[in-house]
Amino acid sequence: MKPLENQRKIGELASASRELQVSFRRQARAIVEPCPIRDVLDRIGDQWSLLVLQALATRVMRFGEINRAIGDISKQMLSRTLKRLEQDGFVKRTLFAEIPPRVEYELTALGRSILAPLEALVAWADANHQSICNARRDYADGDAA
């Protein structure tokens, strides 16, 4: 092999190596920075988060009050949901140094900012629920178009 060919091949390998490095960086960034829509909807679209946000929409509440307002959520699941909502900045948890300790939960500005879109979604669901149920029934009956 001639020196000029070696230099050309080394250049090609270096270029391919740089392309791989860029590709790996993009993939790593995609793992660290998930899709914003999917990331947010995964959190607020779970079984309980919207109900907790709705419960806190009007006032500051204690754990037991939220539990009673929602009804059929276990204490463990409510605790987990509140922790996730706090982690994402939707809910603020305040611990008072009293005996017995008192903890209150309230919506943050971010939590309040989602109430209007949430109300629109609830209104849409109420208005369209029967149509969705009918479509599911038709699909199950084999009448889907």
Side-chain angles (χ1 to χ4, degrees):
M1 216 181 245
K2 297 181 182 176
L4 191 55
E5 285 182 55
N6 283 342
Q7 285 180 341
R8 186 178 53 81
K9 289 200 184 255
I10 290 171
E12 289 173 0
L13 287 172
S15 177
S17 174
R18 280 190 298 274
E19 288 174 21
L20 279 174
Q21 288 175 352
V22 168
S23 174
F24 287 142
R25 281 191 205 114
R26 281 189 195 127
Q27 290 173 359
R29 214 175 12 254
I31 291 169
V32 174
E33 300 170 9
C35 168
I37 295 169
R38 188 176 319 135
D39 186 41
V40 172
L41 288 180
D42 281 348
R43 182 55 50 97
I44 64 166
D46 67 19
Q47 185 174 1
W48 301 109
S49 292
L50 292 178
L51 296 173
V52 170
L53 292 169
Q54 276 189 313
L56 290 171
T58 58
R59 64 186 181 94
V60 175
M61 298 176 87
R62 295 178 70 174
F63 185 90
E65 293 174 306
I66 301 168
N67 197 342
R68 286 187 295 278
I70 294 174
D72 57 348
I73 185 172
S74 71
K75 290 179 181 179
Q76 181 182 10
M77 184 54 70
L78 177 56
S79 178
R80 188 178 305 152
T81 301
L82 284 165
K83 189 171 288 196
R84 287 181 184 150
L85 290 171
E86 181 184 11
Q87 176 186 19
D88 285 350
F90 290 106
V91 170
K92 177 184 173 193
R93 177 183 185 267
T94 305
L95 173 63
F96 295 91
E98 301 173 352
I99 297 178
R102 178 171 51 108
V103 179
E104 292 181 343
Y105 297 90
E106 63 184 306
L107 293 181
T108 62
L110 181 64
R112 286 187 300 279
S113 75
I114 199 167
L115 293 178
L118 175 58
E119 289 171 11
L121 177 62
V122 169
W124 181 90
D126 283 343
N128 293 284
H129 187 248
Q130 190 58 52
S131 297
I132 293 168
C133 290
N134 292 342
R136 288 176 183 163
R137 187 189 63 245
D138 292 347
Y139 184 87
D141 294 342
D143 295 340

